[in-house]
Amino acid sequence: MKLSGLGVWNLYFLVKFALFYYGAIDFNVLTNAAFAALLAIKFKQPLIEKAKHILGAVFAVVLLYQDSWLPPINRLTKQAGNVQDFSFGYFIELLTRVISVDMLLALFVISVCFWYTSQWIRFTTVTIVGLLVVGWQGDNSQSQFVNNVANPEPVTQNQSNPQTQVITQAAQSPDQKLADFYQQQSLLMSHFPNQVNGELFDVIILNICSMAVADLNAIGVSVTDMYKDFDVVFSDFNSATSYSGPAAVRLLRASCGQTSQTALFKEAPEQCHLFKNLEKLGYQNNVVMNHDGHFDEFKGLINKYGGLDSTPFNIDSMPVALRGFDNSPIYSDEAVLDGWLEQADDCKPCAMYYNTTSLHDGNQLENQPRVNSKETYPIRHKNLFADINQFVKKLEKRGRNVMLMIVPEHGANLKGDKVQFAGLREIPSPAIVSVPVAIKFIGPDVQNYSQIVVDDSTSYFALSELVSKALQTDVFGGNNSVANLLENLPTAPKVAENEGTIMMYVNQRPFIQLDGGDWSAYPQGK
């Protein structure tokens, strides 16, 4: 046994250095250095040497996956049932996003250059120097992170609503900041009146899958223009997660503060359920979807953890507008909303929750040739809001008072970034969880003058508070204005969480924690 050069394995490390330089992967210096050290050992027995390279190939794949930003293997196994539902066409579409032509050409060029120059360049030395440089950069980044945490910027306390701010001037670790956030959120609960004060009104919530502010920017749509006929627009609303089921449960539990992902799937006090609070006031709850609610047990989640136990509105006879990424039917938003509206007159007052997946990644237009779903996103978005605007006009003609809210679940990650390719939402990055929310008060006596844009970071609890205030003040009788409802509006720091993944801002920069490990800055840019 003796030490030798790394030979062709140098190419593996050169490729990883290049990927790391462009931010396509992370790089664990210790594990990669240990792997290089193992490869540098040359065994005298040919069988052992051959076995080393075979095992090395396995380790190389595992290390590359570990250094990538792809979800951990254990999380993929948990999602195996869902992944099996993907259509073959969607698999191919995702593959083209991960492996691009430019990437293959770059790999080809690096390989040719390596073979050509390996005759006079000692690439093992280059690999060792590369490991040292990456390790040195990592130490500097960690020092910068520690310095940021140890020297926090002053926090401005909202005196009119102190419960919604993380109040601290002392240096705190991210874990302490997160614990403080959840502790303060646990104190929040909306207090609904015992009866409606003033005119009755319906509450309608349209929960839209896959529409973030970043997605609208990507297709050239202005948030304020899109919501031009709405009274209140939240331009920086925190969906707090990047998956549909948890997002819907968080919305339906809006009457309490934000909880951790673990607590989200435990029993919550009945006072936390927005629709249960409305039900106590005589509201009849309605559940409407333009899909079957089967994928990822969505229908069961909103029933068990969201407190919506009403039988979903039957849509089997509705026209199909799209086919989902699992080839399941997605029905026309216009037809489904119209169908519900036709039978809603007996519901006084009425609380309706509508969930649409028309913008979900991988959807295909019905009876049309298959194309990349990213290309059809602008078309699907335009169709969806044409249907919503028609629904709004029909609500206005109907003559009943309505508080209409549009609340996206999360973004589509239409552009992707250094960490996650387009469509991947494993990490709840700011571009995915910053969604545009809007509210419209429909009624002949409502005092609505012009669009009010709220740029502060807000989340679900603010929506519950607005519903509670509308119930306590006669907004629809003209005795209170929409602007007055927004006074002392609860705000909150942007914290988002999926299973095993947390995103939180530290000194105005997003940081992430994966599977309880160390906190690291979320790479910015493409």
Side-chain angles (χ1 to χ4, degrees):
M1 185 173 67
K2 63 179 181 178
L3 295 179
S4 67
L6 297 179
V8 72
W9 284 107
N10 284 301
L11 180 60
Y12 170 79
F13 289 102
L14 290 175
V15 170
K16 289 190 74 172
F17 290 148
L19 292 173
F20 175 69
Y21 175 79
Y22 285 104
I25 63 170
D26 197 2
F27 197 97
N28 188 302
V29 176
L30 182 59
T31 54
N32 280 278
F35 182 47
L38 173 64
L39 295 172
I41 299 175
K42 186 175 180 62
F43 296 93
K44 293 181 179 179
Q45 295 85 349
L47 286 178
I48 297 178
E49 182 68 12
K50 185 176 181 179
K52 181 194 76 173
H53 288 291
I54 293 174
L55 288 174
V58 176
F59 291 154
V61 173
V62 172
L63 272 180
L64 180 59
Y65 191 93
Q66 183 185 60
D67 283 337
S68 76
W69 298 106
L70 293 172
I73 294 292
N74 65 335
R75 208 166 304 153
L76 286 182
T77 57
K78 291 180 181 178
Q79 297 290 332
N82 289 338
V83 174
Q84 289 175 358
D85 290 336
F86 289 3
S87 67
F88 178 74
Y90 187 48
F91 265 121
I92 298 301
E93 181 178 331
L94 291 177
L95 189 63
T96 60
R97 297 180 192 177
V98 178
I99 303 174
S100 66
V101 174
D102 288 346
M103 182 185 297
L104 293 176
L105 290 175
L107 179 61
F108 175 73
V109 171
I110 292 174
S111 299
V112 171
C113 289
F114 171 77
W115 287 112
Y116 184 74
T117 59
S118 60
Q119 300 178 29
W120 61 83
I121 296 178
R122 296 181 61 86
F123 276 103
T124 299
T125 302
V126 175
T127 298
I128 293 173
V129 171
L131 289 169
L132 292 173
V133 170
V134 173
W136 176 74
Q137 286 183 340
D139 289 340
N140 281 351
S141 299
Q142 183 65 23
S143 299
Q144 180 68 30
F145 173 57
V146 171
N147 183 61
N148 286 341
V149 174
N151 298 282
E153 297 177 2
V155 175
T156 302
Q157 177 177 339
N158 186 342
Q159 298 293 340
S160 61
N161 193 18
Q163 286 183 325
T164 61
Q165 295 289 338
V166 176
I167 305 166
T168 177
Q169 293 292 339
Q172 286 185 306
S173 69
D175 289 329
Q176 290 170 329
K177 288 173 68 69
L178 184 65
D180 277 1
F181 170 77
Y182 282 131
Q183 170 61 28
Q184 291 171 36
Q185 289 291 308
S186 69
L187 303 175
L188 303 179
M189 181 178 290
S190 294
H191 298 286
F192 281 69
N194 295 324
Q195 62 182 18
V196 180
N197 297 322
E199 293 190 22
L200 291 175
F201 60 93
D202 297 331
V203 176
I204 297 177
I205 299 178
L206 308 184
N207 204 196
I208 298 176
C209 177
S210 303
M211 187 181 75
V213 175
D215 301 321
L216 298 179
N217 291 337
I219 63 173
V221 174
S222 165
V223 173
T224 52
D225 288 345
M226 183 179 71
Y227 289 137
K228 62 183 179 181
D229 294 325
F230 283 71
D231 303 306
V232 183
V233 175
F234 298 91
S235 64
D236 191 22
F237 189 92
N238 178 25
S239 72
T241 184
S242 58
Y243 284 123
S244 297
V249 174
R250 290 187 182 279
L251 170 60
L252 297 172
R253 287 191 187 179
S255 296
C256 285
Q258 185 174 327
T259 67
S260 67
Q261 177 81 359
T262 303
L264 192 64
F265 297 105
K266 295 179 180 179
E267 294 297 325
E270 193 172 84
Q271 296 91 329
C272 293
H273 294 94
L274 176 60
F275 278 70
K276 288 294 184 184
N277 288 325
L278 293 172
E279 191 175 13
K280 291 176 183 177
L281 292 168
Y283 278 80
Q284 181 180 328
N285 293 339
N286 286 232
V287 179
V288 189
M289 300 181 289
N290 76 333
H291 55 100
D292 60 14
H294 166 76
F295 187 80
D296 206 18
E297 300 181 0
F298 181 85
K299 185 165 59 176
L301 286 178
I302 64 173
N303 183 334
K304 183 175 182 179
Y305 300 109
L308 267 182
D309 50 10
S310 303
T311 302
F313 178 66
N314 191 313
I315 58 174
D316 293 341
S317 62
M318 302 294 176
V320 175
L322 301 158
R323 289 285 167 178
F325 55 87
D326 56 353
N327 208 35
S328 63
I330 299 175
Y331 298 91
S332 162
D333 289 289
E334 180 181 21
V336 175
L337 290 171
D338 284 352
W340 172 79
L341 201 57
E342 288 175 2
Q343 57 85 57
D345 287 336
D346 296 334
C347 175
K348 296 179 180 179
C350 187
M352 190 269 266
Y353 169 82
Y354 178 68
N355 187 270
T356 172
T357 59
S358 295
L359 298 183
H360 197 287
D361 193 49
N363 288 353
Q364 295 294 307
L365 298 171
E366 180 74 341
N367 299 321
Q368 296 289 328
R370 184 176 183 89
V371 295
N372 190 308
S373 60
K374 287 173 58 181
E375 296 177 10
T376 64
Y377 187 94
I379 299 172
R380 290 181 285 125
H381 177 271
K382 181 180 179 180
N383 293 342
L384 172 61
F385 271 82
D387 292 347
I388 289 175
N389 290 331
Q390 286 299 316
F391 180 62
V392 171
K393 291 178 181 178
K394 290 169 185 175
L395 288 175
E396 292 172 335
K397 290 180 181 179
R398 190 162 166 247
R400 286 171 56 161
N401 296 322
V402 179
M403 183 177 182
L404 172 67
M405 291 187 279
I406 295 182
V407 186
E409 294 174 350
H410 53 72
N413 194 21
L414 206 57
K415 291 187 66 175
D417 56 25
K418 289 182 178 179
V419 177
Q420 301 181 107
F421 60 82
L424 186 63
R425 294 177 279 108
E426 182 64 24
I427 299 173
S429 67
I432 299 174
V433 301
S434 296
V435 299
V437 169
I439 302 176
K440 184 175 180 63
F441 294 85
I442 299 172
D445 299 320
V446 175
Q447 297 182 33
N448 44 7
Y449 305 107
S450 60
Q451 184 186 78
I452 302 172
V453 179
V454 179
D455 293 321
D456 295 329
S457 177
T458 52
S459 199
Y460 301 105
F461 184 69
L463 299 182
S464 176
E465 287 289 275
L466 284 174
V467 175
S468 176
K469 285 184 179 181
L471 291 166
Q472 295 176 55
T473 59
D474 194 10
V475 178
F476 290 91
N479 297 319
N480 193 13
S481 69
V482 173
N484 287 341
L485 291 180
L486 300 177
E487 291 182 358
N488 301 328
L489 187 74
T491 60
K494 195 179 297 299
V495 176
E497 187 172 356
N498 290 338
E499 183 180 355
T501 308
I502 304 173
M503 187 280 296
M504 178 178 63
Y505 273 77
V506 177
N507 287 356
Q508 300 181 345
R509 284 192 63 192
F511 280 76
I512 57 172
Q513 182 189 58
L514 304 179
D515 295 319
D518 294 333
W519 290 85
S520 59
Y522 190 84
Q524 303 293 291
K526 180 67 177 172

